[in-house]
């Protein structure tokens, strides 16, 4: 039987990891505990205030400590902070840092290190897509938009071990935000500028977490070694984690088969059949939604009738059948496997679907928009990463829209980094988007479509939607808040059709059976290796 990994996974990684390009030797008694993890393509940097993508996310979960996070049971796990206090109206949050916390070079971790990341991220030139998650802080949004000076930011550092946040208004999910990159520290001694290269240089890229950066070879691999100066070093079992970059999922699976890597996460669904009944196969729920951004600045996508027609004409069940059994049809923006913390149920199951597929209605909508039978409809270009699943998805969507609506879609496969950059620049007609939750609250999805969101790449500006989300931010009654969030999603996805949701996913992971202690982040579903061990 397949082993299904629930919210705190207990399996992963094995053997020693020496990155020489040849195969790897099995772990021997008495040798250092080292593992190699396969990751998909090098994208973005390691600076929490800079351009962040997949590489940072792999690095940060093992190398950086946030102030605090939530464990799989919903309890607080203190990391860089030892405790906190909040005032009566939840607008002033005071965090006290661990006095024994130092960076991997011995430099003390201070409140100024946290402020350093925030200040740099609020400069739009940093290119940080998470900057809008700082906006609950007093004057942060005004600073980002050049309407206030950085000195007005509602963050104080009264001493080296105290960090005080003053918010614009109460924010019920503020503690959830603290696990995001922009709230993570960057050492003021080295991290002075974004895009200066300090983040990938082991001599300046220091860590306050269980592991530190020992080597970085662009487009090949990076090595993390155990941080002996970490405040909780005795709990860290591994001596080294090496992350190897691969161009595609098949290469990752092949590397696992030849024992070049010990963990190969998020592989194609064919792996499920190949490893059926083997201990190596671990299936996890991914808290993610794959969808398409239609650019509202491109005609005829500025017409809601066209956007709705595209949504209603796609047969998601057939799409998932074609691309793999690890996918499930989705008509929501919020991920299928995200739970409502107040009820314990899946959030999307607590309201009616935003819309239902209906080909006849789709055809009529296209006619009403001036394109009867697809006549006169311009050829739109669909940008997507040149990964196997995305390529298969693109071909199915192209075929379905031609067959169902008689409209032509030009396919444009891109390197992952290029796809990411062009999407952020708004340079697309239709663009593939995937969002894995950053924290365990539906706001991580709803925020994507806000007018002021740094991830709003398609020109959405909806005052009613913004108001609903803003109202939910302050609502302390979980039932009322849930109703507001459902109303916002219904408006954006089932009323204005600002996105084209496609499917949710499970993750097929291959893990050496002797590796234990790998956990699954309850907020994102991603694997974490800071507590991993080799038995």
């Amino acid at each position: 039987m397949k082993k299904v990994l629930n919210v705190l996974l207990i399996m992963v990684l094995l053997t020693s990891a020496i990155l020489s390009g040849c195969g790897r030797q099995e772990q021997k008694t008495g040798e250092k505990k080292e593992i190699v993890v396969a990751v998909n393509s090098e994208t973005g940097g390691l600076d929490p205030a800079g351009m962040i993508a997949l590489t940072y996310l792999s690095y940060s979960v093992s190398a950086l400590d946030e102030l605090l996070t939530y464990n799989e049971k919903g309890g607080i796990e203190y990391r860089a902070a030892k405790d906190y206090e909040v005032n009566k109206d939840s607008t002033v949050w005071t965090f006290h840092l661990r006095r024994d916390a130092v960076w991997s070079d011995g430099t003390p971790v201070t409140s100024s290190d946290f402020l350093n990341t925030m200040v740099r991220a609020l400069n739009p030139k940093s290119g940080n897509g998470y900057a809008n998650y700082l906006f609950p802080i007093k004057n942060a949004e005004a600073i980002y938009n050049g309407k206030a000076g950085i000195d007005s930011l509602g963050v104080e550092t009264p001493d080296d071990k105290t960090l005080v946040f003053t918010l614009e208004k109460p924010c019920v999910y503020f503690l959830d935000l603290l696990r995001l990159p922009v709230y993570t520290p960057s050492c003021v001694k080295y991290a002075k500028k974004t895009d200066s290269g300090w983040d990938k240089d082991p001599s300046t890229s220091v860590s306050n977490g269980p592991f530190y950066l020992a080597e970085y070879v662009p487009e090949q691999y990076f090595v993390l070694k155990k941080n002996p100066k970490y405040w909780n070093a005795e709990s860290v079992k591994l001596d080294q984690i090496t992350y190897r970059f691969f161009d595609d999922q098949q290469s990752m699976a092949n590397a696992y088969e030849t024992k070049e890597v010990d963990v190969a996460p998020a592989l194609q669904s064919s792996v499920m059949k190949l490893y059926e009944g083997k201990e190596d196969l671990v299936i996890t729920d991914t808290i993610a939604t794959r969808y398409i951004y239609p650019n509202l600045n491109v005609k005829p996508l500025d017409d809601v009738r066209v956007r709705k027609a595209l949504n209603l004409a796609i047969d998601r069940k057939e799409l998932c059948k074609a691309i793999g059994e690890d996918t499930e049809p989705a008509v929501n923006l919020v991920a299928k496997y995200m739970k409502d913390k107040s009820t314990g149920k899946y959030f999307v199951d607590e309201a009616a679907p935003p819309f239902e597929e209906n080909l006849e209605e789709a055809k009529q909508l296209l006619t009403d928009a001036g394109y009867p039978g697809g006549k006169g409809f311009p050829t739109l270009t669909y940008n997507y990463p040149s990964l196997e699943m995305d390529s298969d998805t693109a071909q199915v969507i192209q075929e379905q829209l031609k067959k169902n609506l008689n409209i032509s879609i030009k396919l444009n496969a891109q390197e992952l980094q290029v796809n990411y950059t062009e999407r952020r620049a708004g340079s697309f007609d239709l663009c593939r988007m995937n969002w894995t939750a950053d924290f365990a609250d539906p706001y991580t999805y709803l925020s994507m479509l806000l007018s002021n969101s740094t991830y709003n790449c398609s020109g959405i500006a909806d005052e009613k939607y913004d108001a609903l989300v803003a109202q939910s931010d302050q609502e302390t009654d979980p039932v009322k808040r849930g109703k507001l969030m459902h109303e916002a999603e219904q408006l954006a996805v089932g009323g204005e059709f600002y996105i084209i949701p496609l499917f949710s996913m499970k993750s097929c992971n291959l893990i050496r059976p002797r590796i234990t202690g790998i956990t699954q982040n309850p907020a994102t579903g991603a694997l974490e290796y800071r507590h991993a061990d080799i038995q």
Side-chain angles (χ1 to χ4, degrees), residues 48-199:
M51 186 77 77
I52 290 170
L54 299 179
T55 304
Y56 173 85
L57 299 178
S58 298
Y59 162 80
S60 62
V61 291
S62 298
L64 297 176
D65 264 7
E66 57 272 79
L67 289 165
L68 57 81
T69 189
Y70 286 98
N71 60 29
E72 76 284 2
K73 295 180 180 179
I76 289 177
E77 180 182 318
Y78 289 100
R79 289 187 173 175
K82 63 183 180 66
D83 56 43
Y84 78 94
E85 58 218 31
V86 60
N87 69 347
K88 289 184 178 180
D89 67 358
S90 298
T91 57
V92 180
W93 300 73
T94 303
F95 295 84
H96 304 283
L97 307 185
R98 296 182 182 277
R99 296 198 170 275
D100 56 347
V102 297
W103 292 97
S104 50
D105 69 344
T107 302
V109 176
T110 69
S111 52
S112 295
D113 296 323
F114 287 85
L115 180 58
N116 180 42
T117 300
M118 293 180 244
V119 167
R120 292 186 300 111
L122 284 172
N123 182 344
K125 293 181 180 179
S126 71
N128 192 289
Y130 289 87
N132 62 290
Y133 290 112
L134 292 169
F135 292 176
I137 301 172
K138 186 177 181 179
N139 292 326
E141 185 173 4
I143 293 167
Y144 184 83
N145 291 322
K147 297 180 179 179
I150 194 65
D151 291 341
S152 66
L153 182 65
V155 181
E156 299 174 70
T157 56
D159 58 59
D160 284 349
K161 296 297 179 180
T162 306
L163 186 64
V164 183
F165 295 91
T166 299
L167 307 186
E168 292 276 2
K169 52 193 175 185
C171 177
V172 296
Y173 51 84
F174 184 67
L175 290 181
D176 285 295
L177 297 180
L178 299 181
R179 70 173 307 276
L180 299 180
V182 288
Y183 288 91
T184 304
S186 52
C187 185
V188 295
K189 183 177 178 181
Y190 306 107
K192 302 183 185 299
K193 294 182 180 180
T194 53
D195 298 326
S196 62
W198 68 266
D199 54 316

Side-chain angles (χ1 to χ4, degrees), residues 118-381:
M118 293 180 244
V119 167
R120 292 186 300 111
L122 284 172
N123 182 344
K125 293 181 180 179
S126 71
N128 192 289
Y130 289 87
N132 62 290
Y133 290 112
L134 292 169
F135 292 176
I137 301 172
K138 186 177 181 179
N139 292 326
E141 185 173 4
I143 293 167
Y144 184 83
N145 291 322
K147 297 180 179 179
I150 194 65
D151 291 341
S152 66
L153 182 65
V155 181
E156 299 174 70
T157 56
D159 58 59
D160 284 349
K161 296 297 179 180
T162 306
L163 186 64
V164 183
F165 295 91
T166 299
L167 307 186
E168 292 276 2
K169 52 193 175 185
C171 177
V172 296
Y173 51 84
F174 184 67
L175 290 181
D176 285 295
L177 297 180
L178 299 181
R179 70 173 307 276
L180 299 180
V182 288
Y183 288 91
T184 304
S186 52
C187 185
V188 295
K189 183 177 178 181
Y190 306 107
K192 302 183 185 299
K193 294 182 180 180
T194 53
D195 298 326
S196 62
W198 68 266
D199 54 316
K200 294 182 180 180
D201 181 347
S203 67
T204 54
S205 187
V206 291
S207 160
N208 75 322
F211 297 85
Y212 68 92
L213 183 68
E215 186 179 4
Y216 195 105
V217 180
E219 300 181 6
Q220 294 187 45
Y221 64 89
F222 65 93
V223 178
L224 301 182
K225 289 189 176 181
K226 180 177 178 178
N227 179 7
K229 295 182 173 64
Y230 182 52
W231 64 270
N232 196 23
E234 65 274 11
S235 71
V236 182
K237 308 302 180 184
L238 294 178
D239 295 297
Q240 179 172 304
I241 306 173
T242 298
Y243 290 88
R244 287 193 61 182
F245 298 123
F246 292 89
D247 292 333
D248 53 60
Q249 295 169 306
Q250 187 59 56
S251 298
M252 293 167 64
N254 292 343
Y256 184 86
E257 190 70 25
T258 58
K259 299 187 178 180
E260 293 177 66
V261 303
D262 301 308
V263 181
L267 299 174
Q268 64 268 44
S269 60
S270 58
V271 167
M272 297 170 71
K273 293 181 179 179
L274 291 172
Y275 281 82
E276 180 73 41
K278 296 184 179 180
E279 287 186 279
D280 309 61
L281 181 63
V282 179
I283 307 299
T284 62
D285 290 339
T286 301
I287 307 175
T289 303
R290 190 71 55 93
Y291 57 100
I292 296 173
Y293 262 141
N295 194 334
L296 274 60
N297 297 311
V298 173
K299 290 185 178 299
L301 297 173
D302 57 340
D303 188 332
V304 65
R305 294 170 297 184
V306 171
R307 299 195 299 270
K308 184 175 182 179
L310 295 178
N311 264 289
L312 270 57
I314 294 175
D315 187 332
R316 290 162 178 80
K317 186 175 180 180
E318 286 301 314
L319 170 64
C320 290
K321 187 183 297 184
I323 61 177
E325 58 182 292
D326 56 337
T327 61
E328 296 181 64
V331 293
N332 290 80
L333 171 60
V334 177
K336 177 180 177 62
Y337 297 114
M338 170 162 281
K339 289 189 175 181
D340 183 329
K341 284 187 285 190
S342 65
T343 64
K345 299 178 181 178
Y346 291 127
F347 179 81
V348 300
D349 291 342
E350 296 180 320
F355 65 89
E356 294 182 1
E357 296 164 6
N358 187 320
L359 182 54
E360 291 308 310
E361 185 180 356
K363 291 178 179 179
Q364 185 60 51
L365 284 163
L366 209 59
T367 297
D368 295 344
Y371 306 101
K375 185 178 181 180
F377 195 92
T379 298
L380 297 173
T381 299

Side-chain angles (χ1 to χ4, degrees), residues 419-454:
N419 180 261
Y420 176 81
T421 301
E422 291 200 0
R423 173 173 54 78
R424 290 295 309 279
S427 181
F428 63 90
D429 298 340
L430 298 166
C431 185
R432 171 271 206 190
M433 182 65 183
N434 183 80
W435 193 252
T436 300
D438 283 310
F439 49 94
D441 190 278
Y443 180 82
T444 186
Y445 285 93
L446 300 181
S447 65
M448 305 285 288
L449 308 184
L450 292 171
S451 302
N452 64 355
S453 173
T454 48

